[in-house]
Structures are given as structure tokens and as C-alpha cells.
Amino acid sequence: MRVRKAVFPAAGWGTRFLPATKAQPKEMLPLVDKPVIQYAVEEAVEAGIEQVIIVTSSQKRAIEDHFDINVELEMLLEQRGDIDMLRQIRAISDLAQISYVRQKEQLGLGHAVLVAKELVGHEPFAVILSDDVVVGERPCIGQLLNAYQETHCSVVAVMEVPPSETSRYGIIGGEQVGGDDPRLYRVSSLVEKPAPEAAPSNLAIIGRYVLTPKIFDKLEQTQKGAGGEIQLTDAIQALMQEQDVYGYAFEGVRYDAGTTMGWLKASVELALGRQDTGAEFRQYLQHLDLT
């Protein structure tokens, strides 16, 4: 079955960006001139996703407004003759079929995915964490979708991290499947935030997943862990007892835009990569006194 839907958990408080996120969602913080979540939605659409499901909370109305039609703004742009910007604004509301579901309590990533169960239905689906901005020639989630079509099993995106950073991620153990794609691993173990000496590898899971609908059964059975949260990695571990799970070492560069430094790095890289800003911004950086 083809993967048509993607879940975007976006109900968190964004405390690492306070006070900027006191009155606006962290997903709406701009990278150059687009909010973080728009990059993720565009990635999904480019990969062939048809329905976007955004898990929000009562504080996230700005996300819904961003992807909705703004008649007054469109009329203003049309009156001014700013047709290029008008096309860009209209394209946002035309990106995909977008649905919203509220996560009434902040009970972790696993719970956020679980509340989307009714909208997902009994079919495979993607999960995309917009904090993880991935820049590359191919959409990151598209690479996972290709791996799913090959394996018909759940696939998580992984990347190599220094041993000193394994305690920040879920780390997989496994072996390369072989064949035509050396980036594909069959996962044999999954350890959440291990110390370097306890890590089964240096392959860390980042915020891209393709999951079979069986994950919902496992999430419903998963007990609350640290901080009273339901962890998605715990449910994936339980899923591994019944179905194979694969890791895919994606092509591209990932930025953790959920941290101040990652957001700054992503902003610089994206600005440098754009035709309208790259040359002038590069020249500006070259003339900075960094001593």
C-alpha cells in the first residue's frame, strides 16, 4: 500500500526558544522567510504525500492560520500588483489537504502520534518532526518512502553521530541489508539515549519515520515513561517483536532547528543556498570581523 498521509506533531511548548515562543509556536519561527514547519510540509508534498495531519494544541492557532486562505492579504497583494508574492501566498494554502487534531495533554511524541490514529486509519503513514530540517537533493522522507516500498516494514531515518553525542538520541543496533542500497539497515535493537559505552552503534534516529498501522496497537499498550510521557521509541521496540523495522541512513544534511544553535546554522545555510539571498549574504559574511 502506498503511503499517502504524514503526521506532524506540533503541540509542544517550545521552551528552548523562550521568550520568543511565549506567544507564538516554535514551528512558526522563520528560517529566512518561511516558518520551520512549512519546510517540512513542502518536503512531504515533494515526496508524494497527499494528506498532512498536524497535531496541535490550544496555543498553536497560528499554524492553522498560516496554511489557510487569507482573503484580505491576497486582495491587498492583487491591488498592489505584487503577483509573484500573491502566487507564493496562494501556494501555501494549496500545498496539500491539511487536517488538524488536538493533543489535549502534553504526554510525549508517542501520544502525539496516537491522537492522529482516527485520521490515519488502517494504513502506513509517515511521521515528520519539523524541528529536524534536512537539506539535500532528495526529500528525506521520500528516501524512507522508497525504503518502505522495498521492505513493506517500518523505517526510521538514521544518521551517524559522534560517540560523545549518543546520549542525546535513540540509537539503533543492526546490520546492513546488502543488495543495491548500502544505506538500508535491519534494526536488531534500539536504545534510548545510551552512554557511549552502552550504545550499540553510532547510528542515531532523527525525526523522520514511516510506520505501519500496527504501531497504534503498541502505542496504546505503551506505559508512560520518564516525565510521564509515552515514548515512540518504546512502541517501536515493541513493534520489533512482531515485525521487522529498518533504519535508513538518509542522504542530506540535518539541522536541529529545535535548538538555538541548530536554528542559527539552518538559517545561514538556507540563506546561502538561495539564489535571491546567497551571493549578497555570502559577501556580507566574508567581510565580518570574526577575530
Side-chain angles (χ1 to χ4, degrees):
M1 181 181 292
R2 191 170 71 84
V3 178
R4 303 181 303 114
K5 301 177 181 180
V7 175
F8 292 73
W13 286 104
T15 53
R16 286 185 288 186
F17 276 99
L18 287 170
T21 51
K22 179 176 181 289
Q24 72 169 329
K26 65 174 181 175
E27 294 82 7
M28 291 301 296
L29 294 175
L31 289 172
V32 189
D33 56 3
K34 291 192 295 189
V36 172
I37 194 169
Q38 186 175 330
Y39 288 92
V41 171
E42 289 175 345
E43 175 189 326
V45 171
E46 186 180 351
I49 293 295
E50 298 172 0
Q51 183 174 348
V52 167
I53 301 165
I54 301 179
V55 181
T56 65
S57 65
S58 60
Q59 310 300 317
K60 302 299 182 90
R61 180 60 187 270
I63 297 176
E64 299 182 32
D65 290 343
H66 179 72
F67 290 106
D68 200 358
I69 296 172
N70 188 323
V71 176
E72 292 83 1
L73 177 59
E74 291 185 10
M75 289 179 60
L76 176 64
L77 294 171
E78 189 170 6
Q79 291 169 0
R80 289 181 174 179
D82 194 345
I83 304 305
D84 286 341
M85 183 54 66
L86 177 60
R87 289 196 186 101
Q88 291 183 49
I89 294 300
R90 284 180 174 170
I92 295 171
S93 57
D94 292 336
L95 272 171
Q97 177 186 344
I98 300 181
S99 305
Y100 300 91
V101 60
R102 287 283 180 92
Q103 184 183 17
K104 297 177 182 179
E105 297 180 87
Q106 305 302 304
L107 297 178
L109 176 57
H111 182 260
V113 173
L114 182 57
V115 299
K117 177 181 177 180
E118 296 304 317
L119 290 177
V120 170
H122 194 72
E123 59 184 279
F125 64 103
V127 176
I128 300 178
L129 307 188
S130 57
D131 283 355
D132 282 331
V133 177
V134 183
V135 179
E137 294 184 4
R138 297 190 295 157
C140 180
I141 196 64
Q143 298 174 50
L144 268 65
L145 293 176
N146 290 338
Y148 171 80
Q149 291 299 328
E150 179 182 340
T151 63
H152 301 288
C153 294
S154 296
V155 186
V156 299
V158 297
M159 69 176 192
E160 292 187 357
V161 298
S164 60
E165 296 184 10
T166 58
S167 59
R168 296 176 49 201
Y169 300 92
I171 304 295
I172 70 162
E175 58 183 14
Q176 290 177 305
V177 173
D180 296 332
D181 196 341
R183 295 179 175 272
L184 188 63
Y185 293 79
R186 181 177 287 104
V187 179
S188 58
S189 62
L190 198 170
V191 183
E192 184 66 25
K193 299 181 179 180
E197 61 274 12
S201 74
N202 68 333
L203 290 173
I205 298 175
I206 65 113
R208 300 290 187 277
Y209 311 78
V210 176
L211 301 169
T212 64
K214 187 70 176 178
I215 194 69
F216 291 123
D217 295 338
K218 301 307 176 185
L219 285 168
E220 289 172 338
Q221 298 165 11
T222 298
Q223 300 297 313
K224 295 178 182 179
E229 296 186 342
I230 297 173
Q231 300 296 336
L232 181 59
T233 50
D234 290 343
I236 293 174
Q237 282 182 296
L239 182 66
M240 288 168 55
Q241 306 304 312
E242 298 183 25
Q243 300 178 350
D244 285 339
V245 173
Y246 290 83
Y248 193 82
F250 62 93
E251 297 178 32
V253 180
R254 172 254 188 182
Y255 301 94
D256 183 359
T259 66
T260 304
M261 188 55 63
W263 178 83
L264 288 170
K265 290 178 180 179
S267 298
V268 170
E269 292 286 347
L270 289 167
L272 287 173
R274 284 177 43 159
Q275 291 185 352
D276 58 340
T277 59
E280 183 179 352
F281 190 44
R282 183 174 287 101
Q283 186 177 27
Y284 165 74
L285 293 175
Q286 289 171 342
H287 287 83
L288 287 178
D289 183 2
L290 300 178
T291 57

